[in-house]
Amino acid sequence: MGIVAGLDSSPDSTRIVVCDADTGTVLRTGYAAHPLGDGGARPSDVDPQAWLLSLGEAAGGGLLEGVQAIGVSAQQNALVPLDAQGNTVRPAMVGGDKRAQVAAADLVDALGGRAAWAQAVGCVPQAGQPVTKLRWLHRAEPENARRASVLMQAHDWLVWQLLGRPVRRTTDRGGASGTGYWSAAAGAYRPDLVELALGHQAMLPEVIGPADAAGTTPEGLLISAGTGETMAAALGLGLGLGDAVVSLGASGSVMAVHPEALQDPSGMITSLADATGMHLPVVTTLNAVRTLRGAAELLGAADLEGLSALAMKSTPGAHGLVLLPYLEGERTPSLPHTAGTLAGLRRESMKPEHVARAAFEGMLCGLADALDVLRGRGVDVRRVFLLGPAAELPAVQAAAPALFGAQVVVPQPADYGAIGAARQAAWALGVSRGTLDARTPPVWQGAVAQVLEPGEELAVGQAVRQQFVSVREQTHPGAFRV
């Protein structure tokens, strides 16, 4: 069918992959960092032109020669408010944006509580979401709020720019589901929530189907719908029903593919849509790799590899030590003001290797709790993709399959967001030519990965898990309800 490209505009850079449209084989790649602001630091307010500059640089040297379609993946939660003429009324608001924490609480109260938001749009407002940033804008910059006539996210804005800023503005259901004013269950915007946050109505991009084209450039280059980074990475990894992803950053997240949207009055589940017509319920923990870094500092380990080597000298169960890794408080379970707990201290267990092992098991058991939130709502989890540099650590790989109770897949590092965007482009191209079905994305070769089975360690792992659950229930009775 030819060649297609996927570009992923992350918070730091633009990555481009050029792929064979039939097989997904990566033929060429490009990369460029976004230009930094005057302060030299990554700001929470960014001129979107920086994304175009790095895109142009990454695509230099004829990288896109012969490409027939492009898909766009971009950082989620980046709000780009435009005036009636299509100009930005202020820099894009990106990232977690702690400025909006009070605004998030205001919005929760304004609609009648967490359950009301979960029912309305499948998620409870968080500081990073566009709906919350709109509330902050309304309160902190009322003149800019009044001028905001069109609301876009990063991938919407980039697609619109690539198409030459047409009158029609589009987005996809994956990106829309993270705004806080689009319901994945209903498949529709909630304009009343935009007005609640911003103080007035605004134009919102048309939500087009997963295999639809956003348009074609004057040169004949097809541009697909685009999507958020999370949804693009899921498409790039080839996730399907029965698959979950555990992402190990400083904090952790667990998401899985599910055929329907989930409503969770507690707010533990964020109900996102994916880029294929399915759904991606997500559960977040505040403590993942930060738990390991804290343990490394405590034990004097030089790095996480050193901590892993130390933990491997211990045995499953860490000689009875259990770490509840709630070092920054916790979101799952909802314990925002608590601290971590190290239980089971005995003279024989007070050794560095056992504390190191307890740190790894505590982190993974916290993520297993998040997996159980999804399983408790009927989500099928047979295979867990483990992402992030910490996924390569031997102590993580040794413990994860048995603690998660599932096959664990550790993909080789790759630009999965960009690959997913390219796969979407190939899908839209095939549908436009009548060679692919709009209900099924093209079958591409899967990610090269290491596969780990629970095997004979399953019973031991589940005993360790039960030990963690017992300590959690004793320490925080009733805090966790699946």
Side-chain angles (χ1 to χ4, degrees):
M1 197 164 59
I3 59 175
V4 294
L7 69 90
D8 178 35
S9 182
S10 74
D12 300 320
S13 61
T14 298
R15 296 179 183 275
I16 300 176
V17 297
V18 175
C19 301
D20 181 281
D22 293 312
T23 65
T25 300
V26 176
L27 307 174
R28 305 188 290 271
T29 63
Y31 168 85
H34 298 323
L36 291 170
D38 294 338
R42 192 66 57 195
S44 55
D45 288 341
V46 175
D47 183 348
Q49 293 296 326
W51 308 333
L52 287 180
L53 289 171
S54 66
L55 192 166
E57 185 179 346
L63 183 77
L64 299 180
E65 186 175 340
V67 165
Q68 294 157 305
I70 292 180
V72 178
S73 158
Q75 59 181 303
Q76 287 156 238
N77 296 333
L79 176 67
V80 187
L82 306 177
D83 63 19
Q85 288 71 47
N87 302 311
T88 52
V89 302
R90 70 176 318 283
M93 299 174 69
V94 301
D97 213 319
K98 293 183 178 179
R99 295 174 296 185
Q101 286 176 339
V102 172
D106 284 349
L107 279 177
V108 172
D109 292 341
L111 196 64
R114 299 169 69 85
W117 278 95
Q119 184 174 2
V121 288
C123 62
V124 178
Q126 302 293 326
Q129 284 184 295
V131 70
T132 309
K133 289 169 177 171
L134 289 178
R135 181 74 159 195
W136 178 89
L137 191 65
H138 178 52
R139 295 286 176 81
E141 299 178 2
E143 180 54 36
N144 284 335
R146 278 191 292 271
R147 292 175 55 217
S149 297
V150 182
L151 305 178
M152 304 186 85
Q153 294 188 85
H155 81 81
D156 312 336
W157 187 85
L158 285 166
V159 165
W160 184 58
Q161 295 289 332
L162 289 173
L163 289 171
R165 297 164 59 104
V167 173
R168 183 191 189 212
R169 298 173 175 92
T170 63
T171 189
D172 88 307
R173 54 195 297 280
S177 67
T179 59
Y181 44 80
W182 187 86
S183 166
Y189 281 117
R190 287 286 304 265
D192 58 315
L193 299 183
V194 174
E195 187 167 358
L196 179 69
L198 186 61
H200 62 84
Q201 294 288 345
M203 183 181 292
L204 302 171
E206 176 190 346
V207 180
I208 61 177
D212 290 345
T216 305
T217 69
E219 297 77 28
L221 186 65
L222 182 143
I223 309 295
S224 63
T227 194
E229 273 189 317
T230 298
M231 299 79 189
L235 192 57
L237 285 165
L239 300 187
L241 291 173
D243 289 336
V245 171
V246 172
S247 183
L248 299 177
S251 56
S253 69
V254 174
M255 69 177 182
V257 180
H258 197 55
E260 59 189 35
L262 297 179
Q263 288 185 355
D264 174 35
S266 74
M268 280 196 290
I269 298 174
T270 297
S271 191
L272 300 177
D274 79 348
T276 72
M278 302 287 276
H279 294 267
L280 285 176
V282 179
V283 180
T284 339
T285 69
L286 295 182
N287 301 279
V289 175
R290 63 165 42 97
T291 303
L292 304 183
R293 297 204 183 282
E297 291 173 10
L298 175 70
L299 299 172
D303 50 29
L304 295 187
E305 287 74 15
L307 184 72
S308 174
L310 192 60
M312 293 298 284
K313 296 178 181 178
S314 182
T315 53
H319 270 244
L321 285 186
V322 174
L323 176 66
L324 301 182
Y326 308 148
L327 307 184
E328 297 284 328
E330 189 46 82
R331 183 175 170 185
T332 306
S334 181
L335 296 167
H337 306 299
T338 194
T341 302
L342 184 62
L345 283 170
R346 297 180 183 274
R347 178 64 189 89
E348 61 271 19
S349 65
M350 296 179 70
K351 295 181 179 179
E353 58 266 32
H354 302 323
V355 176
R357 180 85 187 198
F360 280 95
E361 290 178 347
M363 175 190 76
L364 292 170
C365 282
L367 291 160
D369 277 351
L371 272 171
D372 281 351
V373 170
L374 297 178
R375 285 172 165 145
R377 293 296 305 277
V379 177
D380 183 23
V381 177
R382 298 189 302 272
R383 187 168 62 157
V384 175
F385 284 74
L386 204 53
L387 303 184
E392 302 285 342
L393 296 173
V396 169
Q397 296 189 5
L403 292 178
F404 292 161
Q407 182 187 83
V408 168
V409 179
V410 185
Q412 285 188 0
D415 297 326
Y416 291 110
I419 292 169
R423 190 178 177 204
Q424 186 194 65
W427 192 8
L429 182 64
V431 168
S432 74
R433 293 176 170 177
T435 58
L436 289 177
D437 189 326
R439 294 166 296 181
T440 309
V443 178
W444 278 12
Q445 56 198 14
V448 178
Q450 186 177 3
V451 178
L452 309 168
E453 300 284 355
E456 297 176 358
E457 296 296 316
L458 180 59
V460 175
Q462 294 307 293
V464 173
R465 177 100 172 80
Q466 187 54 53
Q467 183 175 259
F468 177 91
V469 169
S470 297
V471 171
R472 188 195 66 219
E473 283 301 304
Q474 290 166 12
T475 312
H476 304 288
F480 195 93
R481 289 287 178 264
V482 177

